[in-house]
Amino acid sequence: KNVNIKHFGNDELILQNVSLNIDYGMKIGIMGTSGSGKTTLLNNIIGFMKPIEGKILVDDIVLNNDLIENWQKLISYVPQNVVLFDKSLLENITLSFDKNLNCSELERYENAISYAQLKKLREKLDKSGEFVGEMGSKVSRGEAQRIGIARAIYMNSKILILDESTNFLDEKTEKDFLDIIKNYMKNTTVLFVSHKAKSLELCDEIYKIENKKIERIK
């Protein structure tokens, strides 16, 4: 609500007097040119940054230092470049390195593999006995993004934030994933940043960031 945002050590505002209301379960698209402030807006919503003026509110409660940790537990964030470990596919998706998965966790893992279309990659890695490599060096950029998406699906969070996180996917894979968001994640609030207008067609509302302002265009 009425937020002014700038980077630390920089006097120039990135976003000025911006207000945005997001209802639970909505799919929100955000567009804008490179450097317009898309990721900066997400960082303030998540709590990685704070506005210099204005408020971030959750159910009319101001998001302060005491609440940020609990707020962030509700969020799965998938950036453009996903951090991967030189571990198995299962470990990279579940982030479980030292325990066996229970039945519920295994079911979530299988769903994540299916929804992110990683069955062929799993078969290949299982057959070769390889890990994904340091920072995903043994998988393609598209596969790395799908692992990040699978990780978010596995976490089953209330809020899913996708920051240019499908731009390395081929058109069919991206479409199939977006169909899953639309049809099977109806109770998940999704914020989807993309430079591709077609990718945002599933969104209930689309906003464009330009000249430090945010404007609804759908």
Side-chain angles (χ1 to χ4, degrees), residues 1 36 60 68 96 98 123 140 167 169-170 209 211:
K1 182 178 180 180
S36 61
D60 296 324
I68 283 179
S96 299
D98 57 1
E123 290 173 3
S140 70
N167 60 340
L169 304 185
D170 62 75
I209 298 179
N211 297 324

Side-chain angles (χ1 to χ4, degrees), residues 40-216:
T40 299
L41 176 64
L42 296 183
N43 286 338
N44 277 264
I45 291 172
I46 296 169
F48 294 155
M49 297 173 60
K50 295 180 182 179
I52 60 169
E53 293 182 61
K55 300 174 181 177
I56 308 291
L57 302 104
V58 181
D59 295 337
D60 296 324
I61 299 171
V62 176
L63 188 62
N64 57 31
N65 290 338
D66 294 332
L67 299 176
I68 283 179
E69 184 177 351
N70 284 334
W71 168 241
Q72 291 175 344
K73 288 177 181 178
L74 302 177
I75 299 172
S76 285
Y77 173 56
V78 187
Q80 179 174 247
N81 297 304
V82 177
V83 175
L84 298 178
F85 308 95
D86 191 20
K87 297 285 186 178
S88 68
L89 186 62
L90 183 146
E91 289 170 312
N92 270 282
I93 290 173
T94 65
L95 299 180
S96 299
F97 304 114
D98 57 1
K99 70 182 184 70
N100 295 320
L101 302 183
N102 61 37
C103 291
S104 174
E105 290 168 334
L106 279 172
E107 183 178 359
R108 282 164 42 208
Y109 171 67
E110 290 297 333
N111 285 338
I113 287 285
S114 177
Y115 287 170
Q117 301 174 62
L118 287 169
K119 289 184 178 180
K120 288 185 178 179
L121 177 62
R122 178 170 64 178
E123 290 173 3
K124 183 180 79 170
L125 293 175
D126 285 349
K127 187 175 181 179
S128 66
E130 288 186 332
F131 291 163
V132 303
E134 194 67 38
M135 293 303 296
S137 60
K138 295 180 181 178
V139 298
S140 70
R141 297 180 81 179
E143 288 169 336
Q145 281 195 326
R146 278 186 276 152
I147 293 171
I149 290 168
R151 184 185 293 167
I153 293 171
Y154 174 81
M155 296 304 173
N156 197 29
S157 301
K158 298 286 187 182
I159 301 163
L160 174 62
I161 296 181
L162 304 167
D163 188 4
E164 299 279 11
S165 50
T166 64
N167 60 340
F168 296 132
L169 304 185
D170 62 75
E171 187 174 336
K172 182 183 183 306
T173 300
E174 182 184 45
K175 181 183 181 304
D176 290 344
F177 171 63
L178 297 179
D179 285 343
I180 287 167
I181 289 180
K182 183 176 181 180
N183 297 318
Y184 297 100
M185 302 179 74
K186 294 182 178 180
N187 292 323
T188 303
T189 305
V190 179
L191 277 67
F192 186 18
V193 168
S194 178
H195 63 277
K196 297 184 288 186
K198 188 175 181 181
S199 301
L200 300 177
E201 290 178 353
L202 85 155
C203 295
D204 302 306
E205 297 177 359
I206 300 175
Y207 293 84
K208 184 176 182 179
I209 298 179
E210 190 174 33
N211 297 324
K212 305 178 184 179
K213 304 291 185 182
I214 187 164
E215 177 187 3
R216 182 176 171 181

